[in-house]
Amino acid sequence: MNAPLNLFASVPKRSSRAPTAPFLPMSRAEMDKLGWDSCDIILITGDAYIDHPSFGMALVGRLLEAQGYRVGIISQPDWTSVEPFRALGKPNLYWGITAGNMDSMVNRYTADRKIRSDDAYTPNAEPNKRPDRAVTVYCQRAREAFPGVPVIAGSIEASLRRIAHYDYWSDKVRRSVLFESKADLLIFGNAERALVDVTRRIAAGENIRNIRDLRGTAFLVPHGWMPDEEWSVHNSTRVDVPGRIDAHPNPYAMAQEDTKACATENAQPEPEVKPVVIMTREERQAAAREKARKTVVRLPSFETVSTDPVMYAHASRVFHLESNPGNARALVQQHGDRDVWLNAPPLPLAMDEMDNVYDLPYARAPHPSYGKAHIPAWEMIRYSVNIMRGCFGGCTFCSITEHEGRIIQSRSEPSILREIELIRDTTKNFAGTITDLGGPTANMYRLACKDKNIEQSCRRLSCVYPTICSNLGTDHSKLISLYRKARAIPGIKKILIGSGLRYDLAVRSPEYVKELVTHHVGGLLKIAPEHTEQGTLSKMMKPGIGAYDEFKRLFDKYSIEAGKKQYLIPYFIAAHPGSTDEDMLNLALWLKKNNFKLDQVQTFTPTPMAMATTMYHSGKNPLAKVTEDSEVVETAKSGKTRKLHKAFLRYYDPENWGVIREGLRRMGRADLIGNGERHLVPASDEGATMVREDRRVPGGVPKGRTIEVAPKRAARAGERGERKPANAPFAPPPGKAKPSILATIKSKPKR
């Protein structure tokens, strides 16, 4: 495959392009106002249309507009009829289909498979504005609206369902989304490169069914199809098994050697004489890359992985090992009489390309047709700035790596600072606070492998697990510089960091932690240890709790030096694969010991293609070689067990005490039921008392004092959403309710 052109290498001059639309049109009236008789491309999305680079359809639409194409958007169409899909007429080039910023099943259902009561990406958070498996439904309706128009599917839903995958909501392995959707092409990962290239080629008259050489694309072909005769197949349709082992001959045996049999049975052809070629390391690597470029890895078929969990785990491991764009090979998987062919992943965007993408003329607001409707997802990001993409953490429960890749793609300082100034000058109701400078991870900005050659040849699943790779640069100085310049912009009062922090990286740079804690924490900092037990953490590919302890030490130290009362809000996952009842109990005891009362807790949801989902479905660990006899991963699947694991995280909630008591008795840990300080839950719901150790913190309770916890009052506090910080009292003294952290922070006097 040829290296792609720069995204903006052939952008026509502004004078020869149509004027930039205030918003990409969503109606015929808007098209008429722009002087359009038709759209070149029509994008269909399951989200409300918000013209901001944090929303995929806006980013893709503005990028294509910059290439000179007329782009329209159909947002959240009524899928029960074909007419809404004809609202903008027939597209000249193709349909672009996406479920939105989230997988539609994750968006619509809770971890317990219950329909959610709201949708953050919909005006007024109204639910049920998108169908289940939205990519499939939208593709089918678009095809019905105007047969013969090419259909291209993309976004995270299509990206994570590009091969046979376990679907939690139907509890079965489903075929690639290409089959049900009938899309002509699927673009996975960051779509800009492939989308610009395929649009140029379709506009030039090329048939989409002949476009088979673009990175980051998947499509259906007849079984056994190959691009040309130079390609070879690496067969990975079965797990590795030992070959035949011949018995060693007894050196003391006196049996007569049968030379005739040896001459006939063991005769070998004359060896072919080949010259010895001495190659440098660089030459060997180049030769290997060239060979990989023309090699496709055949995964076990859909028919095999849908019935054999071990083979599913094997296929998952092979798939993830072929994720580095520097050395990944194409993949192919048979589905009946056809194959799903996946080209190598897309190459990361260069910094100037990222800058140009984010510098496009976004309106930075919801489409006017929504009026004054409240759209929660917009409210969340309207004052935030995305500074990077990708994540090299490789957490098994997360799909960011599978979608955006492990190589960090960063914007330049000037581009980021320009966007902050744009928010200051143009965003309605801006009060001077930027709510986030981040991305998938807050502190991976401009971090990369120290050697490009090593990066291109690496096949590790994570750069930071089990330890931080010695080849990974962990210098946070560029991020510190960005923070300082951002908060120095006139009119900017505060820069907060709202993205998740990789704390095992942060502790490598105490200067960064000091900068963060001193200037960029608004009282609370979210952090995600996820668990305390090593067995579970190893299945998550997360660092041990010692890294959290080290970060907390630095956090507390610099908070005190800054004269601020600030708290860490930890996030944990219940019922993750590899997590036993004992693991969750130990986590609950750790939470109680550290006086954490978690308000919101997360139960593991198996999402398509994640490695933890593979563990959940197959019971095998794809982080190591998979065989019939390889490690079995214990997983909480029953509703009763998942409920117990979640209850452990909210051990203080009276509504969970009955579930926890039953679980403790079943586990033989009834010794933790009672009203003493060493107990996890009280013996009964009424008149329960708990004793805490005196830590001499503000508002603390003298040693040995017994505090009565009224269950109804505790339940009301939980309904109010109060959080309890580390080192705060286990319960408020009688007659005096302790305010929540949030209330305390809001009441702080302004300086």
Coordinates of all heavy atoms in Angstrom, one line a residue, residues 358-390:
Y358 N -8.5 20.3 13.5 CA -9.1 21.0 14.6 C -9.3 22.5 14.3 O -10.0 23.2 15.0 CB -8.4 20.8 15.9 CG -8.7 19.4 16.4 CD1 -8.0 18.3 16.0 CD2 -9.8 19.2 17.3 CE1 -8.3 17.0 16.5 CE2 -10.1 18.0 17.8 CZ -9.4 16.9 17.4 OH -9.7 15.6 17.9
D359 N -8.5 23.1 13.3 CA -8.6 24.5 13.0 C -9.7 24.8 12.0 O -9.9 25.9 11.6 CB -7.3 25.0 12.5 CG -6.3 25.1 13.6 OD1 -6.6 25.1 14.7 OD2 -5.1 25.3 13.2
L360 N -10.5 23.8 11.5 CA -11.5 24.0 10.5 C -12.6 24.9 11.1 O -12.8 25.0 12.3 CB -12.1 22.6 10.1 CG -11.1 21.8 9.3 CD1 -11.7 20.3 9.2 CD2 -10.9 22.4 7.9
P361 N -13.4 25.5 10.3 CA -14.4 26.6 10.7 C -15.6 26.0 11.3 O -16.7 26.1 10.8 CB -14.7 27.4 9.4 CG -14.5 26.3 8.3 CD -13.4 25.5 8.8
Y362 N -15.5 25.4 12.5 CA -16.7 24.8 13.2 C -17.5 26.0 13.8 O -16.9 27.0 14.3 CB -16.2 23.9 14.3 CG -15.4 22.8 13.9 CD1 -14.0 22.8 14.0 CD2 -15.9 21.6 13.4 CE1 -13.2 21.8 13.5 CE2 -15.2 20.5 13.0 CZ -13.8 20.6 13.0 OH -13.0 19.6 12.6
A363 N -18.8 25.8 13.8 CA -19.7 26.8 14.5 C -19.6 26.7 16.0 O -19.9 27.6 16.7 CB -21.1 26.6 14.0
R364 N -19.1 25.6 16.5 CA -18.9 25.3 17.9 C -20.2 25.5 18.7 O -20.2 26.1 19.8 CB -17.8 26.2 18.5 CG -16.5 26.2 17.7 CD -15.4 26.9 18.4 NE -15.0 26.3 19.7 CZ -14.2 25.3 19.8 NH1 -13.6 24.8 18.7 NH2 -13.9 24.7 20.9
A365 N -21.3 25.0 18.2 CA -22.6 25.1 18.8 C -23.5 24.0 18.2 O -23.3 23.5 17.1 CB -23.2 26.5 18.6
P366 N -24.6 23.7 18.9 CA -25.6 22.8 18.3 C -26.3 23.5 17.1 O -26.4 24.7 17.0 CB -26.6 22.6 19.5 CG -25.9 22.9 20.7 CD -24.9 24.0 20.3
H367 N -26.8 22.7 16.2 CA -27.6 23.2 15.1 C -28.7 24.0 15.6 O -29.4 23.7 16.6 CB -28.1 22.0 14.2 CG -28.6 22.5 12.9 ND1 -29.9 22.8 12.7 CD2 -28.0 22.6 11.7 CE1 -30.1 23.2 11.5 NE2 -29.0 23.0 10.8
P368 N -29.0 25.2 14.9 CA -30.1 26.1 15.4 C -31.4 25.4 15.4 O -32.3 25.9 16.2 CB -30.0 27.2 14.3 CG -28.7 27.2 13.7 CD -28.3 25.7 13.8
S369 N -31.7 24.4 14.7 CA -33.0 23.7 14.7 C -33.4 23.2 16.1 O -34.5 22.9 16.4 CB -33.0 22.6 13.7 OG -32.1 21.6 14.0
Y370 N -32.4 23.0 17.0 CA -32.7 22.5 18.3 C -33.1 23.6 19.3 O -33.5 23.3 20.4 CB -31.4 21.8 18.9 CG -30.9 20.6 18.1 CD1 -29.6 20.6 17.6 CD2 -31.8 19.6 17.7 CE1 -29.1 19.5 16.9 CE2 -31.3 18.5 16.9 CZ -30.0 18.5 16.5 OH -29.6 17.5 15.7
G371 N -33.0 24.8 18.8 CA -33.5 25.9 19.7 C -32.7 26.0 21.0 O -31.5 25.9 21.0
K372 N -33.5 26.0 22.1 CA -32.8 26.1 23.4 C -32.8 24.8 24.2 O -32.6 24.7 25.4 CB -33.6 27.1 24.3 CG -33.5 28.5 23.8 CD -34.3 29.5 24.7 CE -34.2 30.9 24.2 NZ -34.9 31.9 25.1
A373 N -32.9 23.7 23.4 CA -32.9 22.4 24.0 C -31.6 22.1 24.7 O -30.5 22.5 24.2 CB -33.1 21.3 22.9
H374 N -31.6 21.4 25.8 CA -30.5 21.1 26.6 C -29.9 19.7 26.0 O -30.6 18.7 26.0 CB -30.8 20.9 28.1 CG -29.7 20.4 28.9 ND1 -28.6 21.0 29.2 CD2 -29.6 19.2 29.6 CE1 -27.8 20.3 30.0 NE2 -28.4 19.2 30.2
I375 N -28.6 19.7 25.6 CA -28.0 18.5 25.1 C -26.8 18.2 26.1 O -25.8 18.9 26.0 CB -27.5 18.7 23.7 CG1 -28.6 19.2 22.8 CG2 -26.9 17.4 23.2 CD1 -28.2 19.4 21.4
P376 N -26.9 17.3 27.0 CA -25.9 17.0 28.0 C -24.5 16.9 27.5 O -23.5 17.4 28.1 CB -26.4 15.8 28.7 CG -27.9 15.8 28.5 CD -28.1 16.4 27.2
A377 N -24.3 16.1 26.4 CA -23.0 15.9 25.9 C -22.3 17.2 25.4 O -21.1 17.4 25.6 CB -23.1 14.9 24.7
W378 N -23.1 18.1 24.9 CA -22.6 19.4 24.5 C -22.2 20.3 25.7 O -21.2 20.9 25.8 CB -23.6 20.2 23.7 CG -23.4 21.6 23.5 CD1 -24.3 22.6 23.9 CD2 -22.3 22.3 23.0 NE1 -23.8 23.9 23.6 CE2 -22.6 23.7 23.1 CE3 -21.1 21.9 22.5 CZ2 -21.7 24.7 22.6 CZ3 -20.2 22.9 22.0 CH2 -20.5 24.2 22.1
E379 N -23.1 20.2 26.7 CA -22.8 21.0 28.0 C -21.5 20.5 28.6 O -20.7 21.2 29.2 CB -23.9 20.9 28.9 CG -25.3 21.4 28.4 CD -25.2 22.9 28.1 OE1 -24.4 23.6 28.8 OE2 -25.9 23.4 27.2
M380 N -21.2 19.2 28.4 CA -20.0 18.6 29.0 C -18.7 19.1 28.4 O -17.7 19.3 29.0 CB -20.1 17.1 29.0 CG -19.0 16.3 29.7 SD -19.1 14.6 29.5 CE -20.7 14.3 30.3
I381 N -18.8 19.3 27.1 CA -17.5 19.6 26.4 C -17.4 21.0 25.8 O -16.4 21.3 25.2 CB -17.3 18.6 25.2 CG1 -18.4 18.6 24.2 CG2 -17.1 17.2 25.8 CD1 -18.2 19.5 23.0
R382 N -18.4 21.8 26.0 CA -18.4 23.1 25.3 C -17.3 24.0 25.6 O -16.8 24.8 24.8 CB -19.8 23.8 25.5 CG -20.0 24.3 26.9 CD -21.4 24.8 27.2 NE -21.7 25.9 26.3 CZ -22.8 26.6 26.3 NH1 -23.8 26.2 27.2 NH2 -23.1 27.6 25.5
Y383 N -16.7 23.8 26.8 CA -15.6 24.7 27.2 C -14.3 23.8 27.4 O -13.4 24.2 28.1 CB -15.9 25.4 28.6 CG -17.1 26.2 28.6 CD1 -18.1 26.0 29.6 CD2 -17.4 27.1 27.6 CE1 -19.3 26.8 29.6 CE2 -18.6 27.9 27.6 CZ -19.5 27.7 28.6 OH -20.7 28.4 28.6
S384 N -14.2 22.7 26.7 CA -13.1 21.9 26.8 C -12.3 21.8 25.5 O -12.9 22.2 24.4 CB -13.5 20.4 27.2 OG -14.2 19.8 26.2
V385 N -11.1 21.4 25.5 CA -10.2 21.3 24.3 C -9.6 20.0 24.2 O -9.0 19.5 25.2 CB -9.1 22.4 24.3 CG1 -8.3 22.4 23.1 CG2 -9.8 23.8 24.5
N386 N -9.7 19.3 23.1 CA -9.1 18.0 22.8 C -7.7 18.3 22.3 O -7.5 18.9 21.3 CB -9.9 17.3 21.8 CG -9.5 15.8 21.8 OD1 -8.4 15.4 22.0 ND2 -10.5 15.0 21.4
I387 N -6.7 17.8 23.0 CA -5.3 18.1 22.7 C -4.5 16.9 22.1 O -3.4 17.1 21.5 CB -4.5 18.6 23.9 CG1 -4.3 17.5 25.0 CG2 -5.1 19.8 24.5 CD1 -3.5 17.9 26.1
M388 N -5.1 15.7 22.1 CA -4.5 14.5 21.6 C -5.5 13.4 21.4 O -6.6 13.5 21.7 CB -3.4 14.0 22.6 CG -3.8 13.9 24.1 SD -4.8 12.5 24.5 CE -3.6 11.2 24.3
R389 N -5.0 12.3 20.7 CA -5.7 11.1 20.4 C -4.9 9.9 20.8 O -3.7 10.0 20.8 CB -6.1 11.0 19.0 CG -7.2 11.9 18.4 CD -7.3 11.6 17.0 NE -8.3 12.5 16.3 CZ -8.4 12.5 15.0 NH1 -7.7 11.7 14.2 NH2 -9.3 13.3 14.5
G390 N -5.6 8.8 20.9 CA -4.9 7.5 21.1 C -4.6 7.3 22.6 O -4.6 8.1 23.4

